[in-house]
Amino acid sequence: MITTANSLDITSIRNDFPILNEIVNGKQLVYFDNAATTQKPRLVLDALSGYYEHYNANIHRGIHHLAEKATGAFEESRRRLQKFINAPLSEEVIFTYGTTDSINLVAQTYGRRFLKKGDEIIISTMEHHSNIVPWQMLCEEKGCILKVIPINDDGELLMDEFEKMLSERTKFVSVVHVSNALGTINPIKEIIAKAHAVGAKVMIDGAQASSHLAIDVQDLDCDFYGLSLHKIYGPTGMGILFGKKELLDAMPPYRGGGEMIKEVTFAKTTYNELPYKFEAGTPNIADVVAAKFALDYVDNLGKENIAGHENDLLEYGTQALKEIEGLRIIGNAREKVSVISFVIDGIHHQDIGVLLDQQGIAVRTGHHCTQPLMQRFGITGTTRASFAVYNSIEEVDLLIKGLHKVKKMLG
Ligand SMILES: *Cc1c(COP(=O)(O)O)cnc(C)c1O
């Protein structure tokens, strides 16, 4: 086995992920669709079934043993996530269905309450649809103006252009920390400081960053940060919104219902305190409880070790792919994570995806929920290979071999 300079034992890590033993089209699965969702280690799967087998109960209002145990585990996960992003207070961690839900929450509560006609909202060219559409919906309703930071041909934000856009009319900035389609790591600390200097609030879409980079919301000084657990080796259907307490306190509730209230009468309802004000209804208890185990898994390996291994795969893969004739990598930022998007002259990305799948290799093809970004590059989509901690150099070699085969068949 080719070893990298890193201390991680990839063979043993692979054994933690049962799905990697799947046979696809007669071949051992090679899973390179990690930017869409990561696979789950055994301890997360065990945590899910353990919850349902031993302490499934509704939380917060019960006084019986199971309800207390479930409530304890649920709130422990909140404190675990607080630590994961270094939030000052646990009530600043709101459980949501994921990043999309977190952004919609902010647009629909902070945005609707505090943004007015003529106010400007800035996003960037490389946003995921989930960080475009909620703001367009808000602009349509309130008469706000959406502005878009342009990028260069390498897929990096043009910071000079961003600075020119900023004025006292700028009230909100919402940008992606790491691009899912290009891998670009954006200079968000600088963006946040510059936005704050004109009095704007800032939301960061951390869906792609959170599995690759250490997140410290106090160091960043962001007002809001959203992420999804399913991209950090955790379960689907849950994520968090971090928000600064004074902002969350000032915001109206999102959904109305049980748990988010203090007292209900037909004359008037008073709302619950944070974080429950934003958590109406029975939450996704099982997945929240299991999320803690995913974060424990990541922190046990060490985010720096994970990033080191992924960067080895990125460098190795980038070099090897560049040698394929007619292949062009989309997204060559100096700062990027282990995502490689590419196009091959004369071959449609969908055909590449189908032929790789026949060889057991899972990649994503298409626009990656970033259609405006694809338009910027004058393409309809790419083929994207994105690496996680359990991927190996040998698997990257299989991708290269697979692409040569595709070229022979279609090129
Ligand atoms: C995946 C992703 C989202 C959406 O996350 P969901 O879990 O689908 O809500 C948003 N932004 C980026 C950059 C992503 O990669």
Side-chain angles (χ1 to χ4, degrees):
M1 170 157 193
I2 302 164
T3 53
T4 56
N6 207 268
S7 55
L8 294 178
D9 179 351
I10 301 306
T11 309
S12 131
I13 288 171
R14 292 181 67 80
N15 286 333
D16 295 334
F17 291 82
I19 206 168
L20 297 180
N21 295 320
E22 286 297 300
I23 301 298
V24 173
N25 294 323
K27 300 273 167 42
Q28 170 125 16
L29 168 68
V30 173
Y31 187 76
F32 282 156
D33 195 15
N34 296 288
T37 197
T38 52
Q39 299 302 343
K40 324 303 172 197
R42 168 78 67 197
L43 89 173
V44 169
L45 307 178
D46 288 348
L48 280 171
S49 59
Y51 165 78
Y52 283 121
E53 281 175 30
H54 298 295
Y55 56 103
N56 170 50
N58 211 331
I59 53 168
H60 292 315
R61 287 165 302 277
I63 51 157
H64 59 82
H65 174 77
L66 295 189
E68 279 187 1
K69 188 163 177 191
T71 303
F74 186 85
E75 290 303 326
E76 195 185 335
S77 260
R78 194 189 308 276
R79 290 188 296 275
R80 187 68 185 78
L81 272 145
Q82 176 198 353
K83 187 171 154 232
F84 191 73
I85 59 169
N86 194 30
L89 303 166
S90 65
E91 65 258 39
E92 294 177 315
V93 176
I94 313 291
F95 285 121
T96 64
Y97 299 119
T99 309
T100 303
D101 192 33
S102 301
I103 297 169
N104 277 279
L105 192 165
V106 174
Q108 289 297 311
T109 62
Y110 184 91
R112 281 175 98 180
R113 174 63 59 90
F114 296 109
L115 299 191
K116 307 180 304 293
K117 187 167 162 43
D119 286 350
E120 293 177 1
I121 301 168
I122 299 179
I123 60 173
S124 87
T125 305
M126 65 177 86
E127 298 310 319
H128 189 283
H129 294 163
S130 67
N131 200 26
I132 302 174
V133 184
W135 303 114
Q136 287 176 324
M137 289 162 66
L138 183 69
C139 287
E140 205 166 295
E141 183 185 328
K142 307 281 293 192
C144 304
I145 297 153
L146 195 64
K147 299 208 148 186
V148 183
I149 311 169
I151 59 172
N152 64 21
D153 290 341
D154 285 333
E156 297 169 317
L157 294 180
L158 296 177
M159 292 297 284
D160 289 354
E161 298 298 319
F162 170 59
E163 280 177 53
K164 281 188 222 154
M165 280 176 188
L166 289 168
S167 75
E168 72 282 357
R169 289 185 305 279
T170 312
K171 297 298 177 206
F172 207 92
V173 175
S174 192
V175 289
V176 71
H177 193 168
V178 167
S179 160
N180 62 305
L182 307 173
T184 309
I185 304 173
N186 287 319
I188 56 164
K189 199 171 166 179
E190 192 185 334
I191 290 172
I192 293 162
K194 296 211 157 111
H196 282 169
V198 297
K201 300 290 183 242
V202 185
M203 165 119 213
I204 301 297
D205 168 355
Q208 207 57 238
S210 42
S211 67
H212 302 285
L213 309 175
I215 312 294
D216 183 337
V217 294
Q218 294 189 65
D219 178 57
L220 293 171
D221 194 32
C222 53
D223 299 294
F224 301 101
Y225 196 101
L227 56 81
S228 301
L229 261 291
H230 72 92
K231 292 187 178 170
I232 328 174
Y233 309 102
T236 51
M238 70 132 326
I240 57 160
L241 170 69
F242 160 80
K244 285 182 179 166
K245 184 174 184 326
E246 69 267 23
L247 297 176
L248 294 174
D249 273 333
M251 282 151 58
Y254 184 27
R255 287 182 272 263
E259 188 58 34
M260 54 74 72
I261 50 85
K262 200 167 256 160
E263 191 185 7
V264 176
T265 68
F266 283 119
K268 182 171 173 56
T269 289
T270 51
Y271 302 128
N272 207 339
E273 61 215 26
L274 292 176
Y276 313 110
K277 182 171 94 177
F278 293 106
E279 295 179 357
T282 301
N284 188 354
I285 306 167
D287 292 314
V288 168
V289 165
K292 171 189 175 295
F293 294 84
L295 302 185
D296 287 348
Y297 186 81
V298 166
D299 283 344
N300 275 336
L301 295 178
K303 265 205 174 163
E304 274 181 26
N305 295 330
I306 295 175
H309 173 65
E310 289 173 348
N311 284 335
D312 289 344
L313 297 175
L314 175 65
E315 267 179 41
Y316 183 84
T318 302
Q319 285 314 317
L321 280 167
K322 274 183 176 164
E323 279 163 28
I324 296 176
E325 219 189 287
L327 185 147
R328 183 159 58 97
I329 293 178
I330 307 294
N332 294 288
R334 277 156 296 175
E335 301 286 333
K336 68 178 279 194
V337 301
S338 51
V339 168
I340 310 180
S341 256
F342 59 87
V343 292
I344 300 181
D345 285 345
I347 308 181
H348 196 274
H349 47 78
Q350 205 161 324
D351 295 332
I352 299 175
V354 168
L355 289 179
L356 288 176
D357 183 59
Q358 285 175 9
Q359 304 169 60
I361 302 170
V363 294
R364 184 135 305 229
T365 61
H367 55 62
H368 317 295
C369 295
T370 57
Q371 282 181 340
L373 178 64
M374 297 296 119
Q375 286 152 18
R376 160 64 179 80
F377 282 102
I379 53 182
T380 57
T382 71
T383 303
R384 180 186 71 189
S386 51
F387 308 131
V389 66
Y390 40 68
N391 289 128
S392 68
I393 295 275
E394 287 84 346
E395 288 181 311
V396 179
D397 284 335
L398 288 174
L399 172 68
I400 306 301
K401 226 172 101 187
L403 286 172
H404 280 297
K405 208 161 156 187
V406 170
K407 279 206 61 166
K408 211 174 275 165
M409 290 170 79
L410 298 178

